[in-house]
Amino acid sequence: MLLLSLDAAQAEIHKSHAIALYDEPKYSADFEHFDYVNPNAPKGGVFRTASKGTFDSFHPYIPKGNAVSVGSVETLLVSSSDEPFTAYGLIVETLEWPDDRSWIIFDLRHEARWHDGRPITADDVIWSFETLISKGDPLYRFYYGGVDKLEKLGERRVKFSFKEKNNRELPLIIGQLPILPKHYWETRDFEKTTLEPPLGSGPYRIASFEAGRFVVQERVEDYWGKNLPVNQGINNFDRIRTTFYRDYTAIRLALKSGDIDYHAENRAKAWAMDYDVPAVEKGWLKKERVRHRMPTGLQGFVFNTRRDQFANPKVREALGYAFDFEWTNRNLFFSQYTRTKSYFSNSDMESEGLPEGAELDVLEGFRDSLPERVFNQVYQVPATDGSGWSRKNLLKADEMLKQAGWIIRDMKRVNRDTGERFQFEVLLVSQAFERVLLPMVRNLERLGIKARIRLVDQAQYVNRLRSFDFDMLVIVWGQSESPGNEQRNYWFSSSAEQAGSRNLAGIKDPVVDQLVERVIASPNRAALVTNTRALDRVLLSNFYVIPNWHIPAERILYWDKFSRPDIPIKSGVMTNLWWFDQAKAKQLKAVISSDSSLVDQTESPSSPAPRRLLLLLLLLLLLLLLLILTTAGWSISRYLKRAR
């Protein structure tokens, strides 16, 4: 890194190939590749995976449609996976910034090209930013709200100036800005969904697709950035095929029948019971639990506090006693999960015990605006003995609801003043969650509360999510090792009424706003941890969610035709580091040819047997319909004869 000293009235200017949130980048300017990759990984082969649901767009940058990634859009910088948060130049060759990080200048690489051969310029960067802010998904307005102005300093030189100083993360997240081709989009409507594969600059582009069914991405042979140090050992497959299925059962069948190569399993029951097959037993279909050291964030049943019945924290706290995690984990999840107790679980930013030291000092500044329990009560989620009959918890919930003005009248929970029935709807997009929620619904009925489960399709779910049209839903707030500006989109008061934001709970709390700002402005790692713990503690104390569970590992299954680097990384599984192993693939093919039990084609959702069965069922339905019509015609004929 170069330090350009100016006159005494000005701060030093840093010029470098990379920028770290704190400290210095691990890799020097002359590094050849990241330590966790295999720089000699061979190129070739096909990687077949699957996704649940469907898609109707290749435009993920607007709040419309169900978009799928096209694999061709690049960013200014790219982060390493073995540092907390350090970004290295991708489209950018060098960066400049002052000590207070009040601005950053990017110098673009001369070799950076779009797939049509035209150069990536400062005009593309400026157009991308301005368009995403004005017409893109609302998250961009929150994420990049700290940008004051952009300036074109040259054909490949652009400057971002910020509204505030010492926002250490902002220069790095500007580097995450998707860069889109101005000349391509100028002749198209950016605010409309599209199934035209858009122009990009990345290592892959769409080769073929069928809307809602599959997408095939092909590696770009003359990709401009293939020799960059940040790209060594990655993007090794010639083709990546993603097939879309209606549900996870079909995906599991496709895996076991050999229609797909890889699946990340997220159902505990399926992991425990669905893979007792010869291919797994003999080691040809690998089943691995890969531990990671990344924050798992928080998944939970989220209360929409915009609804009157959920406005009172006492009510939200009471309803948490209706969820019996211990019974659920034992009987439905085979005891695979740990109860989540933090918005920043599985990290050093998770609040624990009572506040003390620097964290207590931060919270003392807001004591008059915080509930006393923040200072004198350790946050604990309700627990049971796992028997399925949580009588003590329900009695506790009943007492708290009465204190909040919700009483029992005619065996129903009603508002003491208005007589309104306590009822709400839980919005779901995954049928698998019904079995988790039904025991809680039963407990709520015992409390006199009417809770309904509403299962909708993906399109309706996304639209209702964006417009906050729900009472309760299941959601995940993911977190990184270095929380920052994205927290505004999660918790800020101004995001509560911004359609499409991630403030799904509708939080409007000045204390939370100020704590988020402290997190963003943290001058060092120690301060970041302290401020994040304080934010975590305040969020928990307001009971915006009923926390669910997490597992510090990824559960993956894949056919033994791939290899990957031996060095484990804290982020767990990264399939973009894998490569197609010709020797393994040849051996696997020979084994399957000699042992048909390894691949049961009768289970394949795309095999002839299910299609024949479907055709048979359709034929039977047609015969039944014909019989009904014949019978109806005969009855009408008899009626007409009698009428005469």
Side-chain angles (χ1 to χ4, degrees):
M1 179 186 293
L2 296 177
L3 293 178
L4 308 179
S5 298
L6 305 178
D7 59 61
Q10 293 179 298
E12 291 181 329
I13 305 301
H14 304 262
K15 184 173 182 178
S16 179
H17 67 294
I19 181 171
L21 183 61
Y22 305 112
D23 303 320
E24 295 294 324
K26 173 182 175 179
Y27 298 96
S28 62
D30 60 351
F31 85 105
E32 297 181 355
H33 59 81
F34 293 128
D35 289 345
Y36 50 84
V37 307
N38 173 12
N40 300 313
K43 306 294 184 182
V46 178
F47 185 76
R48 301 174 303 165
T49 186
S51 181
K52 176 182 175 294
T54 185
F55 71 94
D56 57 15
S57 174
F58 291 130
H59 192 7
Y61 304 106
I62 57 173
K64 297 178 182 178
N66 293 321
V68 65
S69 172
V70 296
S72 62
V73 176
E74 295 186 297
T75 53
L76 296 169
L77 307 176
V78 62
S79 299
S80 63
S81 294
D82 55 353
E83 300 172 84
F85 194 6
T86 302
Y88 296 81
L90 179 57
I91 293 176
V92 166
E93 186 169 16
T94 58
L95 313 81
E96 297 176 30
W97 69 92
D99 278 340
D100 64 8
R101 302 199 179 195
S102 57
W103 52 262
I104 189 166
I105 293 175
F106 296 112
D107 286 303
L108 311 186
R109 298 183 189 273
H110 284 263
E111 65 268 34
R113 292 285 188 276
W114 300 108
H115 290 159
D116 63 1
R118 296 179 62 166
I120 301 175
T121 67
D123 289 331
D124 293 312
V125 176
I126 294 172
W127 183 88
S128 297
F129 179 84
E130 292 177 344
T131 302
L132 289 170
I133 290 295
S134 61
K135 300 179 180 180
D137 193 291
L139 72 88
Y140 294 110
R141 288 191 280 280
F142 289 105
Y143 207 42
Y144 298 123
V147 176
D148 185 32
K149 64 177 179 178
L150 280 77
E151 299 172 79
K152 180 181 177 181
L153 305 182
E155 186 65 19
R156 292 182 175 84
R157 186 172 169 88
V158 61
K159 180 180 180 179
F160 287 79
S161 297
F162 307 132
K163 297 175 183 177
E164 55 189 318
K165 298 179 180 180
N166 299 310
N167 184 332
R168 297 190 62 84
E169 187 191 43
L170 194 50
L172 283 85
I173 65 172
I174 288 296
Q176 298 172 345
L177 178 74
I179 305 304
L180 308 172
K182 178 183 177 181
H183 68 280
Y184 172 86
W185 283 104
E186 278 183 330
T187 60
R188 293 164 175 82
D189 188 343
F190 189 83
E191 296 181 272
K192 288 186 177 180
T193 61
T194 179
L195 279 171
E196 176 188 5
L199 179 67
S201 64
Y204 288 94
R205 62 185 162 208
I206 294 177
S208 62
F209 72 94
E210 185 175 333
R213 294 194 63 188
F214 71 86
V215 177
V216 177
Q217 300 176 51
E218 64 179 1
R219 189 160 53 83
V220 179
E221 289 295 334
D222 60 349
Y223 167 50
W224 71 268
K226 64 182 177 181
N227 295 321
L228 296 179
V230 296
N231 283 330
Q232 298 309 295
I234 65 173
N235 306 318
N236 301 315
F237 300 113
D238 279 349
R239 290 192 167 222
I240 301 174
R241 179 186 174 98
T242 304
T243 305
F244 291 78
Y245 295 91
R246 180 180 293 273
D247 55 47
Y248 286 111
T249 299
I251 292 176
R252 295 180 191 111
L253 294 177
L255 176 71
K256 290 184 284 187
S257 64
D259 287 347
I260 62 174
D261 301 318
Y262 173 89
H263 174 54
E265 183 56 69
N266 62 357
R267 296 288 187 271
K269 180 181 178 181
W271 182 256
M273 301 184 67
D274 284 9
Y275 300 106
D276 185 15
V277 294
V280 172
E281 293 171 1
K282 296 178 181 180
W284 296 107
L285 178 57
K286 299 291 187 181
K287 180 185 178 187
E288 297 180 4
R289 189 174 184 269
V290 182
R291 293 190 64 84
H292 63 74
R293 303 190 305 278
M294 295 297 292
T296 51
L298 182 141
Q299 174 182 289
F301 305 128
V302 182
F303 297 104
N304 187 350
T305 61
R306 303 169 186 84
R307 302 290 200 250
D308 291 340
Q309 67 265 42
F310 296 142
N312 190 336
K314 177 70 73 173
V315 171
R316 302 195 295 267
E317 181 183 7
L319 297 190
Y321 285 87
F323 176 51
D324 189 343
F325 168 75
E326 285 71 22
W327 183 91
T328 302
N329 193 35
R330 180 187 301 172
N331 292 277
L332 301 183
F333 299 152
F334 298 83
S335 301
Q336 293 184 35
Y337 292 115
T338 299
R339 185 76 188 270
T340 300
K341 302 176 183 178
S342 168
Y343 286 82
F344 304 88
S345 56
N346 201 44
S347 78
D348 58 353
M349 294 167 288
E350 180 176 352
S351 60
E352 296 178 336
L354 293 174
E356 58 184 13
E359 183 193 349
L360 180 59
D361 293 340
V362 170
L363 293 170
E364 283 288 358
F366 306 102
R367 182 179 278 273
D368 293 342
S369 302
L370 292 173
E372 192 60 29
R373 60 176 171 267
V374 170
F375 299 93
N376 58 25
Q377 292 181 28
V378 176
Y379 175 79
Q380 294 180 331
V381 290
T384 72
D385 60 5
S387 65
W389 174 232
S390 51
R391 186 171 184 272
K392 290 182 179 179
N393 281 12
L394 295 181
L395 289 173
K396 178 69 173 177
D398 176 64
E399 178 185 349
M400 297 173 73
L401 288 168
K402 288 177 180 176
Q403 292 173 2
W406 292 91
I407 62 173
I408 293 294
R409 185 180 296 162
D410 298 328
M411 303 296 291
K412 299 176 182 178
R413 184 74 58 177
V414 298
N415 186 283
R416 180 187 293 114
D417 299 325
T418 66
E420 179 186 2
R421 176 82 189 273
F422 198 137
Q423 56 185 341
F424 64 91
E425 177 184 273
V426 185
L427 185 66
L428 292 181
V429 70
S430 173
Q431 189 174 12
F433 252 97
E434 284 187 301
R435 68 192 187 108
V436 177
L437 277 163
L438 285 173
M440 188 172 84
V441 168
R442 186 168 59 249
N443 282 337
L444 290 169
E445 289 175 352
R446 291 166 176 163
L447 291 169
I449 297 171
K450 183 179 180 180
R452 304 178 304 278
I453 296 175
R454 178 74 181 278
L455 183 66
V456 298
D457 62 35
Q458 188 172 6
Q460 185 178 354
Y461 181 81
V462 169
N463 288 332
R464 291 185 62 174
L465 195 73
R466 288 170 177 164
S467 61
F468 309 125
D469 182 18
F470 63 89
D471 300 330
M472 175 185 281
L473 49 68
V474 184
I475 204 67
V476 178
W477 282 291
Q479 298 290 356
S480 71
E481 286 187 283
S482 303
N485 290 264
E486 76 286 344
Q487 304 299 312
R488 286 177 175 149
N489 192 32
Y490 290 174
W491 326 119
F492 235 49
S493 296
S494 58
S495 66
E497 302 305 326
Q498 177 65 57
S501 85
R502 294 283 290 171
N503 189 347
L504 298 168
I507 299 171
K508 292 183 177 181
D509 186 338
V511 174
V512 171
D513 292 348
Q514 294 179 66
L515 288 173
V516 168
E517 293 294 2
R518 288 184 66 98
V519 168
I520 294 171
S522 299
N524 51 56
R525 181 71 188 178
L528 177 67
V529 171
T530 295
N531 291 323
T532 306
R533 286 177 178 174
L535 173 63
D536 185 37
R537 196 178 298 276
V538 171
L539 290 172
L540 291 171
S541 71
N542 282 288
F543 305 101
Y544 296 116
V545 302
I546 300 175
N548 286 176
W549 50 84
H550 67 275
I551 181 172
E554 293 178 83
R555 295 165 296 199
I556 62 171
L557 299 107
Y558 62 94
W559 286 97
D560 190 21
K561 59 173 82 170
F562 308 106
S563 290
R564 63 182 193 248
D566 295 329
I567 302 173
I569 53 178
K570 61 186 177 182
S571 53
V573 178
M574 294 178 63
T575 56
N576 66 328
L577 309 182
W578 293 21
W579 63 90
F580 188 82
D581 192 313
Q582 293 284 358
K584 287 184 177 181
K586 184 177 180 180
Q587 185 179 13
L588 177 64
K589 184 177 180 180
V591 169
I592 291 176
S593 298
S594 62
D595 186 354
S596 60
S597 69
L598 295 178
V599 178
D600 185 0
Q601 286 296 334
T602 62
E603 291 202 52
S604 171
S606 59
S607 65
R611 287 201 293 267
R612 287 197 297 269
L613 180 60
L614 180 61
L615 289 173
L616 180 60
L617 288 173
L618 288 174
L619 180 60
L620 290 173
L621 286 173
L622 287 173
L623 290 174
L624 180 61
L625 180 61
L626 181 61
L627 179 61
I628 292 172
L629 291 174
T630 302
T631 304
W634 181 73
S635 298
I636 292 171
S637 176
R638 288 189 61 189
Y639 173 78
L640 291 175
K641 286 181 179 179
R642 289 178 179 176
R644 292 194 190 104

